[in-house]
Amino acid sequence: MSYFLQSIVDGASLGSIYALIALAIGFVFGILRLINFTQSDYITYCAYALIIPSTAAMPALFIGAWPAALMVISVLLIGVVLALLTERFAFRAIRDAEPEILLISSFATSYLLQHILMAVYSTRPKSVSIGNWLGEPVAFAGLRVPLIQLVTLGVTGAALIALVAMLRYTEFGIKIRAAAENYRMARLLGVRANAVIAGCFAISGLIGGAVSLLLVAQTGSLDILMGVSPVIIAFFATVIGGMGSLMGAVLGGFLVGMVSQLLQAYLPGEAREFRDAFLFAFTILVLIARPNGLIASSAIGQRT
Amino acid sequence: MEGVGVRFGRLSALDGVDLKLRPNSVTGLIGPNGAGKTTAVNVLTGFQKPTSGKIFLGSQELTGHTPEEFARQGVTRSFQSGRLFSKLSVIDNVASAAIGIRRLGRTKAREHAYGILEWIGCADVASAFAGTLPHGVQQRVGLARAIAGFPSFILLDEPAAGLGRTDCDGLIALIQKIPSKFECGVLLIEHNMTVIMNACSSIVVFAGGRRIAEGTPAEVAHDAEVRRAYLGSANEQTMAI
Amino acid sequence: MKNNRFVSSIPGDTWLLPSALAIPLGVVAVGVQYFGPPTIAVTVTEIYIRLVAALAIYMFSSNTGIISYGHVAFMGIGAYASAWQTCCVMMKPITMHGLPAFLKTANFPVVPSAIAAGVLAAVVALVASLVIMRLNSIAAAIATFALLFIFQSVYGHWDSVTMGVSTMIGLPQYVTPVHVWIWVAIAILVAFILQNSSIGLMLRASRDEHTAARACGARILKYRVIAFTISAFFAGIAGVMLGHRIGTISVATFHLDLTFLLLAMVVVGGLRSLSGVVLGVIIVSVIMEVLRLFQGGVSIGGQIVSLPAGSVQIGIALVMILVLRFRPDGIAKGLEFDVKRWLGRSSDEVALRRSDSGSSAAE
């Protein structure tokens, strides 16, 4: 039983990270019909900003050495700035292009950013220690859970609540929702479209920064590809949840995290290694059963 | 179709409608906006599954079949917005119907398509990309594509929408000739009363998802309920043709 | 018959296009293989292998409008399948003990093995596409992406037959420029026939207007499955060639980098024409080689100039982004080489004409 509970906590913690990223992808997809692969670079860049540019395996800390509050704010700010830069220079000029072109462009931009980072820091994984104390296990409801998992759950939970509240109750949030869930409306917003779109990117950059801190604190290491895998899984989560539906993205994120952890926990030993294959096959099956995802958004439906 | 109903949520687009198309003649379908005309075409071509009622072609039931099956059974259509394959040539647009529906080879399909384009007066643009054509020509090509699928019934959803007077008259003259030339029945949806009164041998009137009248143009024109539904208040002047 | 020029689907002279694309490539292949320095031969071989792979993507994506992010997985499937048949017979029982007996203990001739490997890739594609081609185009593209990750997960962990993530060595290195060129020529021909067939026509119709294509009775699912299966065969072949060129394979080769490179080539040249793909592969490859050269350090006027590591990838990404922004239809703009005019004028002017899917309608 406690094994099961443990898996649930693991799943929730992982799922909450996916849910956050999925929400970021959902924002941008909803408003631009753009699957933003550069989301992974927001995460990676923010993480690498913690250290002094170097190719060493144990680099000196840069922002990571600053006082905690300043460090967090700086990292989040870097995420926002990077996201706004990609919006301005990579996507604004082509945002009326066909979805296929947008998809490939974001793939290309992400590849570009990734290799720029690689040129500066090399591909060698690096170890970084920030917040080591977060790895300490704590007793919690009869389970021994690493503190970081609780922090992750807390941070992502708070972020999700804040974002949902923002979407529900602020004027900006309502505008985003209107634009994200009704594509035509976004176009009709006219002049203000720039601000709303930039706002969506800013939020996804913010999320990128938060996720990078959580990931670094969890793993204590940096890797050029550290953002890619969670973003791709989160991206499939938005697909499962229903592209264009923000609640669907959150739901999909949690679902993927849970399924992934439960597969890990309960698949027989040999099959466990193929967990990701099951996960992606699961995505395709969901797509077949519900082509518009679990929560279909009106924006996707086609009229005959 | 018999007793067909279509509901979108609580909204009823068609409410127990009967509609019979006669072979080898042009049937007109008119009604105010939101009367369910396009929904009826969608139902009759498989694009919309009816929530109640049945659809027959001859004695064969087609209810619940896919659009592809409807097309291959001999029910083709045009679209209000044209929906040409903009990056294919005009001849390939028309040939595609013959390939998709009758599985003609490409050469045979093009021969067939060229014949139709000649008849319809668009042979001169056969090699142009469909997307580059003026609106009037696109409407004709859309009509040609519907004819090319060897149909027994053709459903035309406002083919004359947005056309100038001359274009419109020419198109309607062609549509009138379709039954004798291609041996098939035509359902013509049209807003313009003058056009439909002249073109059709019988007319069906929809309003609010119901069939409110059916008959010859003269009968329909003098039907009080039609006038009420169609014009709000009876306006003898406009209806007199 | 005044309508002759429209109706003949493939008039004799339009065969000029595939010939004009394939023959010069063949001449180059023979030239570098028998008369050129070995380093150039290697470069040309690599370009031609990418060409086969890019043509495979083109066969599917140009007709359907669905960009496939999964073809590299079929390259991997092909490469491993060929390795199982031809690699290291001494080691196989130990390193790949999970193989069926007939593969474990014997080796097969390379060419039939390559074809069998392509067929395996095609069969996998057939099964997968029966499922994913029901989706609308953007969801189908996403699903092909999922295929790539499924491949990575399965082959990366299936230790008993793929040796997991470790590199498999000892594949016979039989691939020469001329050998790959034969596959290039076949791929060009098949791509050409496919785009001029009724299948290609109906697929392109549904790409433009899916709803109207349904009203034309098109069995789009079937056509998509056929196109995906055929194209996966050629992707498999490209994978085989890649493995037997280097002599080693590993799962990591068949991942995002290669996917990106191939998509860059297809996009830069233009997804809407055969000439565009050929052009794209050559242009991107040349840019790559030049950047690679500079990255290694080049002496200009007595000074060694060298670009930092990663310049190749950064350069290609920039080229791709710029092309997408300023010329989203690619460098060839969806047009084909006008072979007839080119021959007729015997000048070096390379004119492009509206392809109109291969008919000579524009004349």
Side-chain angles (χ1 to χ4, degrees), chain A residues 102-229:
Chain A
L102 283 173
L103 188 62
I104 284 205
S105 291
S106 92
F107 197 43
T109 309
S110 172
Y111 191 81
L112 176 71
L113 290 175
Q114 189 183 314
H115 278 87
I116 290 175
L117 199 66
M118 222 181 264
V120 177
Y121 290 90
S122 89
T123 52
R124 183 190 296 175
K126 300 171 198 308
S127 68
V128 179
S129 50
I130 56 161
N132 279 346
W133 52 275
L134 287 168
E136 298 290 315
V138 291
F140 171 76
L143 301 172
R144 286 180 66 77
V145 184
L147 184 57
I148 180 67
Q149 281 200 347
L150 297 181
V151 172
T152 304
L153 270 172
V155 169
T156 52
L160 285 174
I161 290 169
L163 284 170
V164 169
M166 191 269 290
L167 285 173
R168 257 251 155 127
Y169 301 114
T170 68
E171 196 196 329
F172 180 67
I174 290 166
K175 256 188 217 162
I176 289 183
R177 250 186 343 156
E181 298 191 349
N182 187 335
Y183 188 43
R184 284 210 193 95
M185 182 82 109
R187 289 285 172 267
L188 294 176
L189 282 175
V191 186
R192 282 171 298 171
N194 274 344
V196 174
I197 291 170
C200 286
F201 272 89
I203 294 171
S204 55
L206 200 67
I207 291 176
V211 169
S212 83
L213 287 173
L214 292 172
L215 287 179
V216 173
Q218 270 181 6
T219 62
S221 67
L222 297 179
D223 186 306
I224 291 284
L225 296 174
M226 64 185 283
V228 174
S229 164

Side-chain angles (χ1 to χ4, degrees), chain A residues 93 103 111 232 273 277 288, chain C residues 69 131 149 153 157 260 320 325:
Chain A
L103 188 62
Y111 191 81
I232 283 174
E273 298 188 323
I288 296 299
Chain C
Y69 293 79
V131 179
F149 288 92
S153 171
H157 294 105
F260 179 81
M320 185 164 167
R325 170 141 176 202

Side-chain angles (χ1 to χ4, degrees), chain B residues 47 67-68 71-72 83-87 89 92 96 99-101 103 106-107 110-111 114 118 127 129 145, chain C residues 2-3 6-7 9 196 198 201-202 205 208-209 211-219 272 354 356-357 361:
Chain B
F47 280 95
E68 293 86 342
R72 273 182 257 125
R83 290 192 186 267
L84 295 187
F85 308 128
S86 58
K87 282 169 182 147
S89 65
D92 281 344
S96 63
I99 293 170
I101 291 167
R103 304 216 212 153
R106 196 160 165 182
T107 308
R110 284 180 159 212
E111 271 167 3
Y114 194 83
E118 271 186 324
S127 64
F129 284 109
R145 189 173 65 186
Chain C
K2 71 174 177 176
N3 60 352
F6 297 115
V7 299
S9 62
N196 283 289
S198 330
L201 177 67
M202 295 315 288
D208 275 359
E209 262 296 345
T211 306
R214 299 189 73 189
C216 288
R219 298 161 193 248
R272 280 191 180 268
R354 298 214 166 266
D356 184 24
S357 56

